[in-house]
Amino acid sequence: MSLETVSENRSFGGTQGVYRHVSVATGTEMAFAVFVPEHAAGAKLPVLFYLSGLTCTHANVMEKGEYRRACAEHGIILVAPDTSPRGEDVPDDENYDFGKGAGFYVDATEEPWAKNYRMRSYIEQELPDIIARNFPADMDRQGIFGHSMGGHGALTISLRNPGRYRSTSAFAPIVSPLNCPWGEKALTGYIGQDRAKWREYDACALIEDGARLPDLLVDQGLADNFLEEQLKTHLLDEACRNVDMPATIRMQEGYDHSYYFISTFMADHIAWHAERLKS
């Protein structure tokens, strides 16, 4: 598989790059960002996948997430993929919460979405293989985190793949797509009307059905205007408490849903992951 370098820039002693390739999973070109910190020749570094939220691409966290200093300090590669397939022939929707920029990290089964909207396969299978082949990544030391729709993606992907990720965290995640308008719209459109099939894309349902994480870190702003209707963090707290699954869920006074919030707690999350990604 050919990997095209779009750009590379020196930052905090390491390299911030953007790369592009033709994806087998989505049938489109896909772009992603990778920060590789300075490291000894031949060294393999732990890798942390960051999944972005609605309307975003790799560029949002790359430009506003303020993660490079912390990644350089802890010696962690950070990978930031896109949120959906792109291209003129890719189906889209006029609303921001469905279609391009809103792949919801699912493998769609409904037409016309099923051909291209296979972000679950892309994140779980194709992208890790590309990272392993092209970057100095120790794939035995993987972590995953994300924001909003990407927080939903990080939680569900980690819960469905026990043992793959040593660490999982999220900023303001959509914790239960079964119980919010964003999730109901996306899963109906991509997966169909059978709500039983939605459960593998709902973190709370996965926990109720027996999936577990060794621990979990979540930060949620109390001034987030999506908290009550869409995010419903209390449902994740209840699901974890009901099965005694360790989880640190921090409700942050005054913070909203923006990258001002994410960048404030980004270094905390990277340090938390670093503790769990040590050799």
Side-chain angles (χ1 to χ4, degrees), residues 91-231:
D92 198 11
D93 187 87
E94 62 184 11
N95 296 304
Y96 78 95
D97 55 357
F98 193 73
K100 294 178 185 178
F104 266 83
Y105 305 99
V106 307
D107 277 357
T109 56
E110 296 294 297
E111 298 300 336
W113 316 101
K115 178 181 177 181
N116 304 118
Y117 284 76
R118 299 182 54 79
M119 291 302 296
R120 172 181 177 173
S121 290
Y122 181 71
I123 300 298
E124 290 186 357
Q125 301 169 26
E126 187 173 11
L127 184 59
D129 288 344
I130 292 170
I131 298 302
R133 288 197 304 269
N134 292 279
F135 299 92
D138 181 353
M139 303 307 286
D140 290 329
R141 291 187 289 159
Q142 295 183 64
I144 191 167
F145 67 153
H147 169 234
S148 193
M149 179 185 73
H152 141 77
L155 292 174
T156 55
I157 288 169
S158 190
L159 285 162
R160 287 196 306 264
N161 292 274
R164 176 184 293 189
Y165 303 98
R166 292 194 186 183
S167 55
T168 307
S169 75
F171 303 100
I174 302 170
V175 304
S176 185
L178 278 158
N179 293 290
C180 74
W182 279 342
E184 291 178 358
K185 178 177 181 177
L187 296 182
T188 299
Y190 294 135
I191 309 299
Q193 296 287 343
D194 185 355
R195 292 174 67 91
K197 295 180 179 178
W198 298 7
R199 295 186 69 83
E200 61 185 318
Y201 295 112
D202 184 298
C204 294
L206 284 164
I207 293 169
E208 290 170 6
D209 293 345
R212 298 289 183 270
L213 299 174
D215 56 7
L216 173 64
L217 173 63
V218 171
D219 275 303
Q220 171 63 59
L222 285 170
D224 190 325
N225 60 321
F226 299 116
L227 176 57
E228 291 188 10
E229 183 181 20
Q230 304 283 10
L231 307 178

Side-chain angles (χ1 to χ4, degrees), residues 50 64 146-148 170-174 182 218-228 231 233 250-266 269:
Y50 175 88
K64 297 184 286 187
H147 169 234
S148 193
F171 303 100
I174 302 170
W182 279 342
V218 171
D219 275 303
Q220 171 63 59
L222 285 170
D224 190 325
N225 60 321
F226 299 116
L227 176 57
E228 291 188 10
L231 307 178
T233 311
R250 307 187 300 196
M251 307 302 289
Q252 303 289 0
E253 186 69 42
Y255 286 93
D256 59 18
H257 201 67
S258 72
Y259 268 88
Y260 295 109
F261 158 64
I262 297 167
S263 62
T264 299
F265 299 100
M266 178 64 80
H269 280 243

